[in-house]
Amino acid sequence: MTAPLRATVRRALSLALLAAVPFASACRAPVRTTLDPQFIQPDGPPANPFSPAVRVGNIIFVSGTLGTKPDGTLVPGGIQPETRQLLENIKGTLAAAGVGMDRVVKCTVFLADLKEWPAMNEIYRSYFSNGKYPARAAVQATLLFGARVEMECAAATLPSR
């Protein structure tokens, strides 16, 4: 190899190494993936140790929700007003995450008395259109604050591109 060729090769290698340094540094930086949890707090930091919703990938998990008004008290009137209010609360939480009720794929309903299931269902069905209801389970449970119903759900978002 001639001296001018060696100098050219040396310069090319030096330039290649200089160009690679920023990429090597970027590789050590933390990388955020779509699987990193995103904590959704539409009303600011929560007062209790849980988030209203968490997005992981294309799924949003909504915490158990009661039929409470913004001041934290249960709406009066029993199962149907509580169901309506809790679904409005879930709808608001999902809206803060950029999705609607049409993206809900799974719900778990906790009822203080399973005999109230038909009355809860009457309100529940009005929040989903065209007979496209989420998968669902319902169980009887003792609920906080004397509530008649609590619901948690999961919603699927559109894949990011």
Side-chain angles (χ1 to χ4, degrees):
M1 191 180 297
T2 65
L5 183 58
R6 270 193 302 263
T8 303
V9 168
R10 200 174 304 133
R11 246 183 311 214
L13 286 174
S14 296
L15 288 174
L17 284 173
L18 284 174
V21 168
F23 293 115
S25 296
C27 291
R28 287 191 305 251
V31 177
R32 182 163 172 79
T33 70
T34 59
L35 295 180
D36 290 337
Q38 174 192 359
F39 299 93
I40 300 162
Q41 302 168 349
D43 301 319
N48 293 307
F50 65 89
S51 292
V54 177
R55 179 193 311 254
V56 178
N58 293 334
I59 304 291
I60 299 168
F61 299 93
V62 178
S63 291
T65 304
L66 299 174
T68 54
K69 300 181 279 189
D71 67 5
T73 60
L74 280 175
V75 295
I79 189 76
Q80 289 192 326
E82 284 184 41
T83 301
R84 185 174 289 107
Q85 184 64 50
L86 78 80
L87 285 164
E88 286 298 320
N89 294 346
I90 289 171
K91 190 175 172 181
T93 299
L94 289 173
V99 299
M101 294 295 284
D102 61 320
R103 304 302 301 172
V104 175
V105 295
K106 171 73 169 88
C107 291
T108 303
V109 182
F110 305 92
L111 294 160
D113 185 346
L114 286 177
K115 291 177 187 162
E116 294 181 313
W117 186 78
M120 180 278 304
N121 242 1
E122 228 177 276
I123 304 303
Y124 176 88
R125 85 174 58 245
S126 70
Y127 279 79
F128 302 98
S129 59
N130 302 324
K132 293 181 180 176
Y133 302 111
R136 187 177 79 183
V139 296
Q140 187 165 327
T142 302
L143 303 175
L144 292 173
F145 313 121
R148 306 304 305 153
V149 62
E150 180 175 347
M151 192 179 303
E152 64 181 20
C153 64
T157 65
L158 297 173
S160 32
R161 297 173 196 228

